[in-house]
Amino acid sequence: MSTGYITLIVLGLCGLGFFLGRARALATSKATGKKLHSLPNYYGQAVALFTAVPALLLMLAWLFLQPLMIEGRVAGMIPDSVIPEGGAKSLVMADVRRIADGLDALMVAGHMSESDLDAMRADFTDIRNRLGNVGVALGSDVPVPVFEAAKELRKSQNAGNFLMTLAVLGLSLGLLAWSWSRVHPDQRARNASETFVLALLIGASLVAILTTAGIVASLLFETINFFKMYPASDFFFSTVWNPQFRGGSDLGILPLLWGTLYVSFLALLVAVPLGLMIAIYLAEYASKPLRAFAKPAIEVLAGIPTIVYGLFALITVGPFLRDYIASPLGLGSSSSSVLTAGLVMGIMLIPFVSSLSDDIINAVPQSMRDGSYGLGATKSETIKQVILPAALPGVVGAILLAASRAIGETMIVVMGAGAAAKLGLNPFEAMTTITVKIVSQLTGDTEFASPETLVAFALGLTLFVFTLGLNVLALVIVRKYREQYE
């Protein structure tokens, strides 16, 4: 049974538990003549929560642990003789998973029975043809150990899914009966229900923290594997980026880091002044009808897909800068340049700065404005000396959001700035960024365990640490300024 059906059954039992718990609370109160400690709905809610939540948590834990345990056991069945030279067992396991999924698809489609699968051992050309009919393409003959491992993987997965169904539904029914039997007028159902909900909220709040930890861990482990194959000193201090998929690559991050900072700086140079001026005008000077029209119109920029901005940079902005500025001045002859990507990205970032800064400025208490006006300050002096200092933490947050968006942008850089990894100050030259190279390295034809592929994780971790440092630095600056202002 699929996880979707299991979830629906558990939720159905949850709803049943709510009505049974509520009905039992009312019935026992009437039979004993005792007043209920809590409202009837709390009794039903307590039964429903005990019925559904532990069962769903068990299913999630099962779905996470089962592949690790089964694939670890199946991987031990694969001999080293079937692993390609220079490859890794993980690549063979990827084929095993694909074959297992294809065999499942053949079963569902009715093209094969369990007895046919058990008897199929030697005719691997037929296996490849059958799997091709369900969309699983294999480029070479399937080795016997790989096919046997795929059969074992499928068998173990089906057995595990069956046991999971029994365990989850059994736990849900058992807790439904147990929690229903505990319903009585003296039960503190409201306290139990609210404690359960509090635990759920705490668990939900931990999701973001655990997700961040998982992202960092996945990057860190693969980065460690990369540095076992490639010197860290060459990665961090080399000024040459020249990946060769046949080996002997130069993988220095400095040209990529420079391109990322250069493009982001130009983008913020466009977005921050324009965004702040727009926010100040909308918050302090614009009439209500104009503000009601202008703010949504500006925020439309944030909803435009980045591929559209990339096309705008490639077709309009890049040729314009080349034909009217770069070529006449002898600064370049390419439509792909840092300035092209920076200008277009800056336009894209304007609503991130303006909208958030406008909300922050409007949140400054009116009493501060009135006090400034009472001391004889003009509107412009009030904005410069009172409103902007008070709104500074929020404005810095808006700028940081825009900076993070600029550092992580890919499509505009690909189509506007090109893919040349080099150091230079000329804004009319083509350059590239870290994010672009992460995509290009992960979409190549090299083995996953090669340095040319694993370098993408090192680039990602470096970018993560860099942006984290920027955020910490900004928080320190804002905190010190806030202490002086207060």
Side-chain angles (χ1 to χ4, degrees), residues 97-368:
R97 286 190 289 268
R98 291 173 59 212
I99 296 172
D101 293 340
L103 294 176
D104 259 340
L106 288 173
M107 295 294 179
V108 173
H111 299 317
M112 183 185 294
S113 63
E114 290 289 346
S115 59
D116 294 335
L117 180 60
D118 291 336
M120 184 179 293
R121 296 183 182 277
D123 189 3
F124 294 107
T125 302
D126 181 52
I127 294 172
R128 190 167 63 251
N129 293 334
R130 290 196 184 194
L131 292 176
N133 292 332
V134 292
V136 179
L138 298 175
S140 59
D141 289 339
V142 181
V144 176
V146 174
F147 182 66
E148 294 299 325
K151 289 170 59 177
E152 179 62 27
L153 177 64
R154 177 184 170 276
K155 181 180 178 181
S156 300
Q157 286 176 339
N158 290 338
N161 292 338
F162 178 74
L163 292 176
M164 180 185 70
T165 302
L166 293 180
V168 171
L169 296 183
L171 179 63
S172 181
L173 288 171
L175 289 177
L176 171 60
W178 175 77
S179 57
W180 179 80
S181 66
R182 293 182 67 251
V183 173
H184 56 83
D186 295 332
Q187 181 187 9
R188 298 178 178 273
R190 187 187 68 184
N191 297 351
S193 177
E194 291 181 348
T195 302
F196 214 118
V197 172
L198 178 61
L200 285 177
L201 294 176
I202 293 174
S205 65
L206 290 175
V207 169
I209 299 174
L210 295 177
T211 301
T212 304
I215 292 172
V216 174
S218 63
L219 290 175
L220 184 60
F221 292 146
E222 299 299 340
T223 301
I224 292 174
N225 292 334
F226 168 71
F227 285 132
K228 289 179 181 178
M229 304 177 185
Y230 192 84
S233 58
D234 292 346
F235 175 75
F236 286 111
F237 300 108
S238 175
T239 59
V240 179
W241 174 268
N242 184 27
Q244 299 291 332
F245 294 110
R246 293 182 298 273
S249 301
D250 294 316
L251 303 174
I253 193 178
L254 290 181
L256 307 183
L257 185 61
W258 171 250
T260 300
L261 295 178
Y262 203 174
V263 174
S264 300
F265 173 75
L266 292 179
L268 293 177
L269 202 61
V270 174
V272 173
L274 289 177
L276 282 178
M277 287 190 287
I278 291 171
I280 293 171
Y281 175 75
L282 291 179
E284 300 296 326
Y285 293 99
S287 62
K288 289 185 178 180
L290 179 58
R291 173 185 167 82
F293 167 78
K295 187 173 182 180
I298 295 171
E299 291 175 349
V300 169
L301 291 174
I304 298 176
T306 55
I307 184 65
V308 177
Y309 282 111
L311 291 173
F312 177 61
L314 179 66
I315 297 173
T316 305
V317 178
F320 176 82
L321 294 177
R322 178 195 62 196
D323 297 338
Y324 294 96
I325 300 178
S327 294
L329 297 177
L331 297 175
S333 59
S334 174
S335 60
S336 297
S337 65
V338 175
L339 187 59
T340 300
L343 288 176
V344 176
M345 194 185 300
I347 295 172
M348 182 194 69
L349 296 178
I350 286 175
F352 288 91
V353 178
S354 65
S355 182
L356 291 175
S357 298
D358 174 60
D359 294 336
I360 295 299
I361 291 173
N362 280 316
V364 175
Q366 183 62 34
S367 59
M368 297 184 69

Side-chain angles (χ1 to χ4, degrees), residues 42-97:
Y42 281 111
Y43 293 89
Q45 185 177 345
V47 174
L49 289 172
F50 276 104
T51 300
V53 175
L56 293 178
L57 291 177
L58 174 63
M59 184 175 70
L60 290 175
W62 197 297
L63 291 174
F64 176 75
L65 295 175
Q66 176 177 296
L68 299 178
M69 298 175 63
I70 293 178
E71 292 186 11
R73 181 171 58 84
V74 171
M77 300 172 53
I78 301 175
D80 294 337
S81 59
V82 301
I83 300 176
E85 185 178 355
K89 185 172 287 189
S90 60
L91 298 176
V92 180
M93 280 303 299
D95 288 336
V96 170
R97 286 190 289 268

